Amino acid sequence: KCIGLPQYSMSISEGRLYARMGSPVTCSSNAELRPEFASELVCLDLTREGKVVWTRASHDLIPEGPQWRFEGSPTVIGGRAYIALSRRTPQLEVVVACLDASDGRAIWQRSIGSFRTSVEEKFNRVSHLLLTAGGGRIFLSTDVGAIVALDARDGRLDWAISYESRVEDAGEAAGGNGWRNGPPPLFFGGFLFAAPGDANSAFCIEADSGRVRWQFSYVRNTPDGLPE
């Protein structure tokens, strides 16, 4: 059984299309009998009828320990492709990696940390985290209680904020099939706007400092679209 709802995305930059391929499962159940779910990042040349430029397997990018899997499609800017990966060890662990967009070569990778998640180890976890770029930084809303900013050049952690994670509420709002990842943050005018999938709040954050300018609380809808 899978917890979480599959989501799909692609990125296009300078005539190339980048997509995450493979199973939507990002963390396997400890009772899973099938072979390890694989994920792969592929780059296609749209000017040459979709010719494959390069591919990169998640387990080749970070070979050590339990298998890592790409979360979603990369954010491509300035000739670099930024993407999140996750694994269960047994806690959920998240990494952000930076690749050369021209050939898939790894430039840097940064561990974001380990997190508590409501998805029990007996279930396959399905997630789809997307990154946001702006002001020379890469932003990630983890949907497990933290929002972080990394320096786009070398992956240095610039700041991180935490909030009350309500993954159980998010799961109920998604229809009992577990949570659904929130949208990636928006960057505009020096501010980051985030609405994490595991919170009942939206945040306005100063992108340079990580200071929360304001926080707006709201009531989640139930699966039938009505307020709780």
Side-chain angles (χ1 to χ4, degrees):
K1 180 178 179 180
C2 293
I3 299 297
L5 302 177
Q7 301 176 66
Y8 304 94
S9 60
M10 295 181 291
S11 303
I12 295 178
S13 176
E14 299 183 350
R16 291 183 174 182
L17 182 148
Y18 303 82
R20 177 205 187 277
M21 308 297 290
S23 168
V25 172
T26 48
C27 292
S28 297
S29 160
N30 58 10
E32 181 60 63
L33 299 179
R34 290 171 290 183
E36 282 286 327
F37 296 106
S39 67
E40 186 177 62
L41 190 61
V42 61
C43 172
L44 307 179
D45 189 340
L46 298 180
T47 66
R48 302 176 64 185
E49 299 182 344
K51 180 180 179 180
V52 176
V53 179
W54 55 263
T55 62
R56 194 68 192 266
S58 56
H59 60 271
D60 290 335
L61 181 62
I62 311 178
E64 77 278 4
Q67 182 170 332
W68 291 86
R69 297 179 181 89
F70 292 120
E71 282 280 340
S73 59
T75 294
V76 183
I77 187 171
R80 293 183 171 189
Y82 302 90
I83 193 165
L85 301 93
S86 63
R87 70 176 178 181
R88 179 183 279 156
T89 63
Q91 287 183 299
L92 173 66
E93 186 176 357
V94 178
V95 157
V96 172
C98 172
L99 310 179
D100 189 315
S102 65
D103 57 14
R105 173 178 55 87
I107 298 176
W108 56 255
Q109 60 189 46
R110 178 68 61 186
S111 174
I112 303 304
S114 298
F115 304 90
R116 181 188 67 85
T117 173
S118 66
V119 179
E120 298 180 27
E121 292 184 26
K122 63 182 179 180
F123 298 119
N124 289 319
R125 178 179 182 269
V126 176
S127 55
H128 195 80
L129 297 175
L130 300 175
L131 302 172
T132 299
R137 294 181 175 86
I138 299 298
F139 305 96
L140 172 64
S141 178
T142 64
D143 282 356
V144 281
I147 301 170
V148 302
L150 306 177
D151 189 302
R153 295 169 298 180
D154 56 15
R156 182 186 70 250
L157 179 66
D158 280 348
W159 54 258
I161 66 170
S162 60
Y163 56 84
E164 182 183 3
S165 177
R166 304 189 63 178
V167 287
E168 293 81 5
D169 293 351
E172 293 175 3
N177 191 35
W179 40 266
R180 184 186 185 97
N181 285 123
L186 297 176
F187 175 85
F188 179 77
F191 293 95
L192 189 73
F193 301 90
D198 64 324
N200 289 343
S201 296
F203 302 88
C204 173
I205 305 167
E206 294 180 359
D208 287 341
S209 65
R211 185 172 73 89
V212 177
R213 178 64 66 90
W214 52 256
Q215 178 177 344
F216 173 77
S217 298
Y218 59 91
V219 177
R220 288 186 176 274
N221 288 342
T222 59
D224 58 10
L226 300 176
E228 294 177 330

